[in-house]
Amino acid sequence: MATEIITPNTTTMADLKGRVEPDWCPGCGDFGVLAAVQKALVELQIPQHEVCTISGIGCSSNFPGFIETYGMHTLHGRALPVATGVKMANHGLTVLVTGGDGDGFGIGCGHLVHSMRRNVDLTYIVMDNQIYGLTTGQTSPTSRMAMKTKSTPYGNVENPVNPIALALAAGATYVARGFSADQKHLTELIKKGIEHKGFSLIDVFSPCVTFNHDNTVQWFRPRVKRLEDDPNYDASSLNAAMEKAQIWGEEIPIGRFFELTGQPSLEEMEPVLELGPLVRQSYQIPAEKARRFIEELM
Amino acid sequence: MRQSFSIGIGGAAGQGVASPGDIFAKVFTRRGLHLNAYNAYQSVIRGGHTFLTMRVGESAIGAVDGHLDLLIPLNQDTADRHLRLLQAGGACLYNADTIHPGTPGEGVALCPLPVSTLADISRNKIAQNTLAIGAALSMMGIGFQSLESILAAQFRSKGSAVIEENVKLARAGYDYASQNFKPFAAPMPLTEKRYAALSGNTAMAMGAAAAGVKFYCAYPMSPATGVLHWMAQHGREAEIMVRQVEDEIGVINMAIGAAHAGVRSMCATSGGGFALMSEGLGLSAQAEIPVVVIDCQRAGPSTGVPTKTEQGDLWQMLGAAFGDYPRVIAAPLDIADCFTLMPEIFNVTDRFQCPGIVLCDLLLSEGRLSVDPAVLDFAPRVDRGELITSNGSGDGEPYKRYKITPSGVSPRVIPGVPGHTHVVSSDEHDEDGVLISDVYTNHAKRRAMMEKRMRKVEGIAAAVAPPQMLGPEDADVTLVGWGSTYGVIQEACELLREQRITANHLPIRWLVPLHGDVILGLLGKARHTIIVENNFSGQFARYLRSETSYVANGHIRKYDGEPFFPEHIVAAVKEQLAGRTKLSVPAHEVMV
Ligand SMILES: Cc1ncc(C[n+]2csc(CCOP(=O)(O)OP(=O)(O)O)c2C)c(N)n1
Ligand code: SF4
Ligand SMILES: [Mg+2]
């Protein structure tokens, strides 16, 4: 047997640097999200090989290629079911899901609602640029009313979805909103999301500098207000969170809207996982059990 | 002709047709008898017409046919539809209070049961069923004791009072028949053998469990739901994670996620659900993550006839997902094969890191067959392929997930192993897993990756046994079928031989890889070839032609939702050998 690789007992930013440079446009908000995720993993000291970063398809979904963990670049909108499968088969892994607003709130919205109600222990980071970036600038489920995009040249006539309210209604147990230009705050939100047992949704304003000229860093900066700055805000109250989720305009709250602790996650609800991660369990059915299964039929 | 005895039990959905079926199945398999059962039903929970046919005999029974020896109509409608199926020596056993069967054929006995005098029907709505079971047993010359323990097990969940009542009722029916009805000419034989009676869905679920599946997920869809039911019922004991997912898109992707994490993973659906899965199938192929998908075919297109059988999904399987990629597709030949195929296909998909499709159909999925318990082997050979599960096993080189190799197979590491981080991707990628689809597309790398994946096709062909001709080498007619037509064609061959027409049979189990050269060799020697399949357009015939240029002499097809009977094939072969037609479409004579 060859020698075993002894893993270093520290995780550094250098470890997590991807093997290729991000192909995002200079100034894309997603750079800030990448840095925040890497910092969060370093601060939490999670070894890179115990992390699985799973994405859909989109500019933002190229994320797993730019961070050195186990990664998977799946199909447009399908990151959450793939991630759920990974987590159920090996709940020892820290599973991060990264993607865009189109990926998560458009094509993948059905999976999102069900992942949230299941409370599967995933940390879902949506790089919400209110536009379809990779397909060169069409309207997205979070594009504001009247916004002009390539697919709405006369202005969008559909109401955007409210991801925070949607998550609260669907039963997500950790709901937060970050701003990619507010690194420290975002890093904290991601750390808390990873530490949270159960599903966490972190909707991140991550401006697209190429196709969305409405919702820019300059537009967001004066508007975002951290919930953490309000000492009276109670993130354990669903009603308070729902109320805050409605605020949009001159003031836009960011931060941890809601966290419900003590709620069992899906893995904890499954007795089959009491024997340890599925992937480490025996796959041989003992003869005695096999005999019982056959005898039922005789 | 095969010695067999056929029972038909029919009624409206909700009248309890299933439980007499279960009870008879146990009675017969415990006597060491073979059986084959088919339930014709509709997509209603109450009402409609449900008709269970169970054929029993000492030797293996490959199909049901259109004849009955015993009819138990639970309502007038069933008597009206099926009395004419009784052959001479047969009997109709019915509730004299509610059913008036009319005039039966020559030599058929009418056996009225005075249900209201034998039972308190105000208390027990299904009293007629239990009385009839008891009476039938008496007429078949089977001792009553065998029924007691079966009834006890059947009604266990309802408590001892219900068990006692049913045993009493069955006894009353048994005694009444012994005194009033003539027993059948030949009593039901008894052998030393013991069989398990199971459906194809149960067999596939158990076969997968035996193969070491650890993750199963599904969205309910007839006729595949039975797989989910077995898994859900037994998952905890078998230590299998079982999930019902929001839709079939979620199903395939969740199964792929679990497979990526390193466990054997499976899902099952029918044609409509499979259509939703097809993009995911491509992900399995491109990311090289093995997953097994069962497609239980039902009559299509679209919602089609959810409760009827067909072999109409072959081209969907062949064409599922865009792009070229290696896949395997196998169609189990019978219900026992539904079990034995599973470890085989898991081994192939694990070794070659590609999607595997089990192409079943309603006839097998929901039919019932007696299977020798020795066939249900829970310690099959398991080959997980080149799977890295711990570090230190590498060659010292940096790990490359999609390393270019002569076989096309690149060793796969399960996430969590130190020193092997990488990205797997639905986008085209290089050996390292780095995308070559976005900034720098690279035609040379793309070509190399395509060729690497497609090289697996050769290995797959070598890993799978080619088809074999059954029966005499030289025959008047060669019947070619695939999947579930195996049993009915085998019996048709026997019937033809009795009529001095020699017939042999080429059953196709692996559709991909097809082994076209072997098939051409076998069919090249045939005098007259006929392809038998349960669809309109001859999907297999067209596939065989596209792969080999082979054109058969004739075709037998059926697409009315009901399975073939052996006589359908016999009659069709005769008309084709007589030169009357090249395409026979038998009419179904049982009114279901
Ligand atoms: C099934 C399918 N439909 C459409 C596409 C094309 N597509 C790729 S990315 C994308 C939208 C990306 O938007 P978003 O998820 O917001 O990511 P962003 O690029 O903005 O980061 C679309 C429509 C696809 N890849 N797959
Ligand atoms: S198009 Fe927009 S979202 Fe995509 S990389 Fe460029 S800035 Fe970022
Ligand atoms: Mg977007």
Short mmCIF file of all heavy atoms in Angstrom, two decimals, chain B residues 66-111:
data_model
loop_
_atom_site.label_atom_id
_atom_site.label_comp_id
_atom_site.label_asym_id
_atom_site.label_seq_id
_atom_site.Cartn_x
_atom_site.Cartn_y
_atom_site.Cartn_z
N GLY B 66 -56.05 -16.94 -22.90
CA GLY B 66 -57.44 -16.48 -22.87
C GLY B 66 -58.43 -17.52 -22.40
O GLY B 66 -59.63 -17.34 -22.58
N HIS B 67 -57.94 -18.63 -21.84
CA HIS B 67 -58.87 -19.68 -21.41
C HIS B 67 -58.98 -19.72 -19.90
O HIS B 67 -58.04 -19.42 -19.20
CB HIS B 67 -58.38 -21.05 -21.89
CG HIS B 67 -58.11 -21.07 -23.35
ND1 HIS B 67 -59.11 -20.89 -24.27
CD2 HIS B 67 -56.96 -21.22 -24.04
CE1 HIS B 67 -58.58 -20.94 -25.48
NE2 HIS B 67 -57.28 -21.13 -25.37
N LEU B 68 -60.15 -20.15 -19.44
CA LEU B 68 -60.36 -20.28 -18.00
C LEU B 68 -60.90 -21.66 -17.67
O LEU B 68 -61.65 -22.25 -18.45
CB LEU B 68 -61.37 -19.25 -17.51
CG LEU B 68 -60.97 -17.77 -17.55
CD1 LEU B 68 -62.12 -16.93 -17.00
CD2 LEU B 68 -59.71 -17.53 -16.74
N ASP B 69 -60.48 -22.14 -16.49
CA ASP B 69 -61.07 -23.37 -15.94
C ASP B 69 -62.01 -23.03 -14.79
O ASP B 69 -62.92 -23.78 -14.50
CB ASP B 69 -59.95 -24.30 -15.47
CG ASP B 69 -59.05 -24.68 -16.62
OD1 ASP B 69 -59.49 -25.43 -17.50
OD2 ASP B 69 -57.90 -24.17 -16.68
N LEU B 70 -61.72 -21.91 -14.15
CA LEU B 70 -62.58 -21.49 -13.04
C LEU B 70 -62.77 -19.99 -13.13
O LEU B 70 -61.79 -19.24 -13.21
CB LEU B 70 -61.92 -21.86 -11.70
CG LEU B 70 -62.60 -21.32 -10.43
CD1 LEU B 70 -64.02 -21.84 -10.28
CD2 LEU B 70 -61.77 -21.65 -9.19
N LEU B 71 -64.03 -19.57 -13.14
CA LEU B 71 -64.32 -18.13 -13.14
C LEU B 71 -65.03 -17.79 -11.83
O LEU B 71 -66.01 -18.43 -11.47
CB LEU B 71 -65.22 -17.77 -14.33
CG LEU B 71 -65.74 -16.32 -14.37
CD1 LEU B 71 -64.61 -15.32 -14.54
CD2 LEU B 71 -66.78 -16.14 -15.48
N ILE B 72 -64.51 -16.78 -11.14
CA ILE B 72 -65.17 -16.28 -9.94
C ILE B 72 -65.57 -14.83 -10.20
O ILE B 72 -64.77 -13.92 -10.01
CB ILE B 72 -64.25 -16.40 -8.69
CG1 ILE B 72 -63.79 -17.85 -8.50
CG2 ILE B 72 -64.98 -15.90 -7.45
CD1 ILE B 72 -62.84 -18.07 -7.32
N PRO B 73 -66.80 -14.62 -10.68
CA PRO B 73 -67.22 -13.25 -10.92
C PRO B 73 -67.72 -12.64 -9.62
O PRO B 73 -68.54 -13.25 -8.93
CB PRO B 73 -68.37 -13.40 -11.93
CG PRO B 73 -68.91 -14.77 -11.69
CD PRO B 73 -67.83 -15.61 -11.06
N LEU B 74 -67.23 -11.48 -9.28
CA LEU B 74 -67.70 -10.82 -8.05
C LEU B 74 -68.86 -9.88 -8.36
O LEU B 74 -69.48 -9.34 -7.45
CB LEU B 74 -66.56 -10.06 -7.37
CG LEU B 74 -65.32 -10.91 -7.01
CD1 LEU B 74 -64.25 -10.05 -6.35
CD2 LEU B 74 -65.70 -12.08 -6.09
N ASN B 75 -69.14 -9.68 -9.63
CA ASN B 75 -70.33 -8.91 -10.01
C ASN B 75 -70.88 -9.45 -11.34
O ASN B 75 -70.23 -10.26 -12.02
CB ASN B 75 -70.03 -7.40 -10.07
CG ASN B 75 -68.94 -7.07 -11.08
OD1 ASN B 75 -68.50 -7.92 -11.86
ND2 ASN B 75 -68.50 -5.83 -11.07
N GLN B 76 -72.06 -8.96 -11.69
CA GLN B 76 -72.73 -9.44 -12.89
C GLN B 76 -71.90 -9.13 -14.15
O GLN B 76 -71.79 -9.94 -15.06
CB GLN B 76 -74.11 -8.76 -12.99
CG GLN B 76 -74.95 -9.22 -14.18
CD GLN B 76 -75.36 -10.69 -14.06
OE1 GLN B 76 -75.68 -11.17 -12.98
NE2 GLN B 76 -75.30 -11.42 -15.16
N ASP B 77 -71.32 -7.94 -14.15
CA ASP B 77 -70.53 -7.48 -15.30
C ASP B 77 -69.44 -8.50 -15.64
O ASP B 77 -69.22 -8.83 -16.81
CB ASP B 77 -69.92 -6.11 -14.93
CG ASP B 77 -69.01 -5.57 -16.01
OD1 ASP B 77 -69.39 -5.65 -17.18
OD2 ASP B 77 -67.92 -5.06 -15.65
N THR B 78 -68.78 -9.01 -14.62
CA THR B 78 -67.69 -9.96 -14.85
C THR B 78 -68.22 -11.25 -15.46
O THR B 78 -67.62 -11.82 -16.37
CB THR B 78 -66.95 -10.24 -13.52
OG1 THR B 78 -66.52 -9.00 -12.98
CG2 THR B 78 -65.76 -11.15 -13.73
N ALA B 79 -69.36 -11.72 -14.94
CA ALA B 79 -69.97 -12.93 -15.50
C ALA B 79 -70.31 -12.71 -16.96
O ALA B 79 -70.04 -13.55 -17.83
CB ALA B 79 -71.21 -13.30 -14.69
N ASP B 80 -70.90 -11.55 -17.25
CA ASP B 80 -71.31 -11.25 -18.63
C ASP B 80 -70.10 -11.22 -19.57
O ASP B 80 -70.15 -11.70 -20.69
CB ASP B 80 -72.03 -9.89 -18.71
CG ASP B 80 -73.35 -9.90 -17.95
OD1 ASP B 80 -73.84 -11.02 -17.66
OD2 ASP B 80 -73.86 -8.81 -17.63
N ARG B 81 -69.01 -10.64 -19.09
CA ARG B 81 -67.85 -10.50 -19.97
C ARG B 81 -67.11 -11.81 -20.20
O ARG B 81 -66.60 -12.05 -21.29
CB ARG B 81 -66.83 -9.53 -19.33
CG ARG B 81 -67.24 -8.07 -19.36
CD ARG B 81 -66.29 -7.29 -18.44
NE ARG B 81 -66.66 -5.89 -18.31
CZ ARG B 81 -66.02 -4.88 -18.92
NH1 ARG B 81 -64.98 -5.12 -19.67
NH2 ARG B 81 -66.42 -3.64 -18.74
N HIS B 82 -67.01 -12.62 -19.17
CA HIS B 82 -66.01 -13.69 -19.23
C HIS B 82 -66.52 -15.12 -19.17
O HIS B 82 -65.72 -16.04 -19.25
CB HIS B 82 -64.96 -13.49 -18.12
CG HIS B 82 -64.33 -12.13 -18.15
ND1 HIS B 82 -63.77 -11.62 -19.27
CD2 HIS B 82 -64.21 -11.18 -17.18
CE1 HIS B 82 -63.31 -10.39 -19.01
NE2 HIS B 82 -63.57 -10.11 -17.76
N LEU B 83 -67.83 -15.32 -19.03
CA LEU B 83 -68.35 -16.69 -18.92
C LEU B 83 -67.89 -17.54 -20.11
O LEU B 83 -67.55 -18.70 -19.98
CB LEU B 83 -69.88 -16.66 -18.83
CG LEU B 83 -70.52 -18.01 -18.48
CD1 LEU B 83 -70.18 -18.39 -17.03
CD2 LEU B 83 -72.04 -17.97 -18.67
N ARG B 84 -67.83 -16.90 -21.27
CA ARG B 84 -67.49 -17.63 -22.50
C ARG B 84 -66.02 -18.08 -22.54
O ARG B 84 -65.64 -18.83 -23.44
CB ARG B 84 -67.84 -16.77 -23.72
CG ARG B 84 -67.06 -15.51 -23.75
CD ARG B 84 -67.62 -14.45 -24.69
NE ARG B 84 -66.73 -13.31 -24.58
CZ ARG B 84 -65.57 -13.22 -25.22
NH1 ARG B 84 -65.18 -14.17 -26.02
NH2 ARG B 84 -64.79 -12.17 -25.04
N LEU B 85 -65.20 -17.59 -21.62
CA LEU B 85 -63.79 -18.01 -21.64
C LEU B 85 -63.60 -19.38 -20.99
O LEU B 85 -62.54 -20.00 -21.10
CB LEU B 85 -62.90 -17.00 -20.89
CG LEU B 85 -62.91 -15.57 -21.42
CD1 LEU B 85 -61.99 -14.70 -20.56
CD2 LEU B 85 -62.46 -15.52 -22.87
N LEU B 86 -64.65 -19.85 -20.29
CA LEU B 86 -64.52 -21.15 -19.62
C LEU B 86 -64.51 -22.27 -20.64
O LEU B 86 -65.34 -22.32 -21.54
CB LEU B 86 -65.69 -21.33 -18.64
CG LEU B 86 -65.56 -20.54 -17.33
CD1 LEU B 86 -66.91 -20.45 -16.62
CD2 LEU B 86 -64.51 -21.18 -16.42
N GLN B 87 -63.55 -23.18 -20.47
CA GLN B 87 -63.50 -24.31 -21.40
C GLN B 87 -64.18 -25.52 -20.76
O GLN B 87 -64.46 -25.54 -19.55
CB GLN B 87 -62.07 -24.60 -21.83
CG GLN B 87 -61.02 -24.46 -20.75
CD GLN B 87 -59.60 -24.36 -21.31
OE1 GLN B 87 -59.39 -24.25 -22.51
NE2 GLN B 87 -58.63 -24.43 -20.42
N ALA B 88 -64.45 -26.55 -21.56
CA ALA B 88 -65.15 -27.74 -21.08
C ALA B 88 -64.43 -28.29 -19.85
O ALA B 88 -63.21 -28.33 -19.79
CB ALA B 88 -65.18 -28.80 -22.17
N GLY B 89 -65.23 -28.69 -18.85
CA GLY B 89 -64.66 -29.17 -17.59
C GLY B 89 -64.52 -28.04 -16.58
O GLY B 89 -64.22 -28.28 -15.42
N GLY B 90 -64.72 -26.81 -17.02
CA GLY B 90 -64.56 -25.65 -16.15
C GLY B 90 -65.82 -25.36 -15.35
O GLY B 90 -66.86 -26.00 -15.53
N ALA B 91 -65.71 -24.37 -14.47
CA ALA B 91 -66.85 -24.03 -13.61
C ALA B 91 -66.87 -22.54 -13.32
O ALA B 91 -65.82 -21.89 -13.28
CB ALA B 91 -66.76 -24.80 -12.29
N CYS B 92 -68.10 -22.06 -13.11
CA CYS B 92 -68.26 -20.66 -12.69
C CYS B 92 -68.84 -20.68 -11.28
O CYS B 92 -69.89 -21.26 -11.03
CB CYS B 92 -69.21 -19.95 -13.65
SG CYS B 92 -69.58 -18.26 -13.14
N LEU B 93 -68.12 -20.06 -10.37
CA LEU B 93 -68.47 -20.08 -8.96
C LEU B 93 -68.92 -18.67 -8.60
O LEU B 93 -68.13 -17.73 -8.70
CB LEU B 93 -67.19 -20.46 -8.19
CG LEU B 93 -67.22 -20.89 -6.75
CD1 LEU B 93 -68.21 -22.01 -6.52
CD2 LEU B 93 -65.82 -21.37 -6.37
N TYR B 94 -70.19 -18.53 -8.21
CA TYR B 94 -70.70 -17.16 -8.08
C TYR B 94 -71.72 -17.04 -6.97
O TYR B 94 -72.28 -18.03 -6.48
CB TYR B 94 -71.31 -16.72 -9.41
CG TYR B 94 -72.46 -17.59 -9.86
CD1 TYR B 94 -73.78 -17.20 -9.65
CD2 TYR B 94 -72.23 -18.82 -10.48
CE1 TYR B 94 -74.83 -18.00 -10.03
CE2 TYR B 94 -73.28 -19.64 -10.86
CZ TYR B 94 -74.59 -19.23 -10.64
OH TYR B 94 -75.63 -20.03 -11.01
N ASN B 95 -71.98 -15.81 -6.58
CA ASN B 95 -72.95 -15.48 -5.56
C ASN B 95 -74.35 -15.59 -6.15
O ASN B 95 -74.75 -14.78 -7.00
CB ASN B 95 -72.66 -14.05 -5.08
CG ASN B 95 -73.59 -13.61 -3.96
OD1 ASN B 95 -74.63 -14.22 -3.72
ND2 ASN B 95 -73.18 -12.56 -3.28
N ALA B 96 -75.12 -16.59 -5.71
CA ALA B 96 -76.43 -16.86 -6.31
C ALA B 96 -77.41 -15.73 -6.03
O ALA B 96 -78.39 -15.56 -6.76
CB ALA B 96 -76.98 -18.17 -5.76
N ASP B 97 -77.16 -14.93 -5.00
CA ASP B 97 -78.09 -13.86 -4.65
C ASP B 97 -78.02 -12.69 -5.63
O ASP B 97 -78.99 -11.99 -5.83
CB ASP B 97 -77.76 -13.29 -3.25
CG ASP B 97 -77.74 -14.38 -2.19
OD1 ASP B 97 -78.44 -15.39 -2.38
OD2 ASP B 97 -77.01 -14.20 -1.19
N THR B 98 -76.86 -12.47 -6.18
CA THR B 98 -76.68 -11.23 -6.95
C THR B 98 -76.33 -11.46 -8.41
O THR B 98 -76.39 -10.52 -9.19
CB THR B 98 -75.57 -10.38 -6.31
OG1 THR B 98 -74.38 -11.18 -6.26
CG2 THR B 98 -75.92 -9.90 -4.92
N ILE B 99 -75.89 -12.65 -8.77
CA ILE B 99 -75.36 -12.84 -10.12
C ILE B 99 -76.14 -13.91 -10.87
O ILE B 99 -76.46 -14.97 -10.33
CB ILE B 99 -73.85 -13.20 -10.06
CG1 ILE B 99 -73.08 -12.02 -9.44
CG2 ILE B 99 -73.29 -13.54 -11.44
CD1 ILE B 99 -71.67 -12.33 -9.06
N HIS B 100 -76.46 -13.60 -12.12
CA HIS B 100 -77.16 -14.55 -12.98
C HIS B 100 -76.33 -14.75 -14.22
O HIS B 100 -76.39 -13.96 -15.14
CB HIS B 100 -78.56 -14.02 -13.31
CG HIS B 100 -79.31 -13.64 -12.07
ND1 HIS B 100 -79.88 -14.57 -11.23
CD2 HIS B 100 -79.49 -12.43 -11.48
CE1 HIS B 100 -80.41 -13.95 -10.18
NE2 HIS B 100 -80.18 -12.65 -10.31
N PRO B 101 -75.55 -15.82 -14.24
CA PRO B 101 -74.51 -15.94 -15.27
C PRO B 101 -75.00 -16.24 -16.69
O PRO B 101 -74.23 -16.08 -17.62
CB PRO B 101 -73.62 -17.08 -14.77
CG PRO B 101 -74.28 -17.67 -13.60
CD PRO B 101 -75.50 -16.91 -13.26
N GLY B 102 -76.24 -16.65 -16.89
CA GLY B 102 -76.65 -16.98 -18.25
C GLY B 102 -76.18 -18.38 -18.63
O GLY B 102 -75.81 -19.18 -17.77
N THR B 103 -76.18 -18.65 -19.94
CA THR B 103 -75.89 -20.02 -20.39
C THR B 103 -74.41 -20.19 -20.70
O THR B 103 -73.88 -19.50 -21.57
CB THR B 103 -76.70 -20.34 -21.66
OG1 THR B 103 -78.02 -19.83 -21.48
CG2 THR B 103 -76.73 -21.84 -21.92
N PRO B 104 -73.78 -21.13 -20.02
CA PRO B 104 -72.35 -21.33 -20.28
C PRO B 104 -72.13 -22.26 -21.48
O PRO B 104 -73.08 -22.81 -22.02
CB PRO B 104 -71.87 -21.99 -19.00
CG PRO B 104 -73.05 -22.74 -18.50
CD PRO B 104 -74.28 -22.01 -18.97
N GLY B 105 -70.88 -22.43 -21.87
CA GLY B 105 -70.54 -23.33 -22.97
C GLY B 105 -70.69 -24.79 -22.56
O GLY B 105 -70.94 -25.10 -21.39
N GLU B 106 -70.54 -25.68 -23.54
CA GLU B 106 -70.61 -27.14 -23.33
C GLU B 106 -69.68 -27.60 -22.21
O GLU B 106 -68.51 -27.22 -22.22
CB GLU B 106 -70.15 -27.84 -24.62
CG GLU B 106 -71.22 -28.04 -25.66
CD GLU B 106 -72.01 -29.33 -25.42
OE1 GLU B 106 -71.41 -30.38 -25.14
OE2 GLU B 106 -73.24 -29.21 -25.49
N GLY B 107 -70.21 -28.38 -21.30
CA GLY B 107 -69.36 -29.00 -20.28
C GLY B 107 -68.89 -28.05 -19.20
O GLY B 107 -67.99 -28.37 -18.44
N VAL B 108 -69.49 -26.87 -19.13
CA VAL B 108 -69.12 -25.91 -18.08
C VAL B 108 -70.17 -25.94 -16.98
O VAL B 108 -71.37 -25.87 -17.26
CB VAL B 108 -68.99 -24.48 -18.65
CG1 VAL B 108 -68.80 -23.46 -17.54
CG2 VAL B 108 -67.85 -24.41 -19.66
N ALA B 109 -69.71 -26.09 -15.73
CA ALA B 109 -70.65 -26.19 -14.62
C ALA B 109 -70.91 -24.82 -14.01
O ALA B 109 -69.99 -24.01 -13.87
CB ALA B 109 -70.06 -27.12 -13.56
N LEU B 110 -72.19 -24.60 -13.66
CA LEU B 110 -72.52 -23.39 -12.90
C LEU B 110 -72.62 -23.78 -11.44
O LEU B 110 -73.34 -24.71 -11.08
CB LEU B 110 -73.85 -22.81 -13.39
CG LEU B 110 -73.84 -22.19 -14.78
CD1 LEU B 110 -75.21 -21.59 -15.11
CD2 LEU B 110 -72.76 -21.12 -14.90
N CYS B 111 -71.90 -23.08 -10.60
CA CYS B 111 -71.87 -23.42 -9.17
C CYS B 111 -72.30 -22.23 -8.34
O CYS B 111 -71.49 -21.40 -7.93
CB CYS B 111 -70.46 -23.85 -8.78
SG CYS B 111 -69.82 -25.19 -9.78
#
